[in-house]
Amino acid sequence: MYRDLDAQTREDLRLYFQDRDYMVVSVPKDELIRVYTLQANHAVAVAKRIHNLEGQRAELMGYAIMSALLLTSLVKHATEQKVLFKVQTDSGVVVSEADGKGRVRGFIEGDPQEGWVSGVLTVVKELRLGVPYTSIVPVVGRNLKEALSFYFEQSEQTKTYLDMHLEFTSAGAQAKAYLVQVLSGVSQRSIDLIEENLRNLSFLGKRPEEIAIEILKDMEPRLIGLKEVEYYCPCSEEIARSSLMLLQEEELQDILNEGPAEVVCKFCKRVYRFSREQLML
Ligand SMILES: [Zn+2]
């Protein structure tokens, strides 16, 4: 099933998503090229607000949120298969996670950008329950965009182009990105055309389908997939309780002697409190 990315499709998408975040998957008519385009304005603004971030750390968190969403190109569309993205440096860590349904969350500790050159980038794909697939590469380049490009070059077998645009405004965030995968067998003529289109591309004021149309200019773009994107944390009282149960009995008793035990979710800052009775100790 596909639809031509024509005026009618664009109008339908505009009416359906309005100003919500979403991701579009499109392909040209004749070549094995996949284009993922993303708008994550709200997800990035929510991450900034939840974690109370400013400046460099807000930017890094925003790029990490978009990176995890772009990496969902590696998992099955519309499933709960997950991708975890992490950059760890001597001065901090940034983590983000997204699933095939477009749900994303993340957190940051310290200022990873400070120790950038010492960094390690990890991508974990959870394709089926209990079978994670992990790739680790050194952090290369000046920023997260270049580091992610290097990851694709090293770890995935496909030729990839990607870029991200992030800007914080008084109204929130402008967060757009694309990932283009060129599968084997694509003609040099098409590669040259894509590269030329990418050189001329501007994110400014464009929706995901409009970015896709520019990338696939003169290639009869078709829409093959869509997903809404949102900052979502699936944490629960049950998960918080089981994290307490991982503590040593003695350690937990010490905490409970001081009052209720508290668990704060790293991803959404929700606080869970448990009394001794609630933990049935
Ligand atoms: Zn949470």
Side-chain angles (χ1 to χ4, degrees), residues 14-25:
R14 184 182 292 274
L15 285 172
Y16 180 74
F17 286 108
Q18 300 188 15
D19 81 331
R20 288 177 291 161
D21 289 342
Y22 60 107
M23 201 166 170
V24 165
V25 191

Side-chain angles (χ1 to χ4, degrees), residues 105 233-236 265-270 272:
R105 61 179 186 165
C233 186
C235 69
S236 65
C265 175
K266 273 187 177 181
F267 290 95
C268 68
K269 302 282 177 174
R270 214 172 290 162
Y272 297 92

Side-chain angles (χ1 to χ4, degrees), residues 244 247-262 274-276 279 281:
L244 280 178
L247 296 175
Q248 300 286 336
E249 169 86 41
E250 211 172 299
E251 212 177 329
L252 187 54
Q253 291 296 355
D254 282 349
I255 293 169
L256 290 166
N257 289 339
E258 304 285 312
E262 220 174 71
F274 302 95
S275 66
R276 196 182 300 269
L279 292 170
L281 293 172

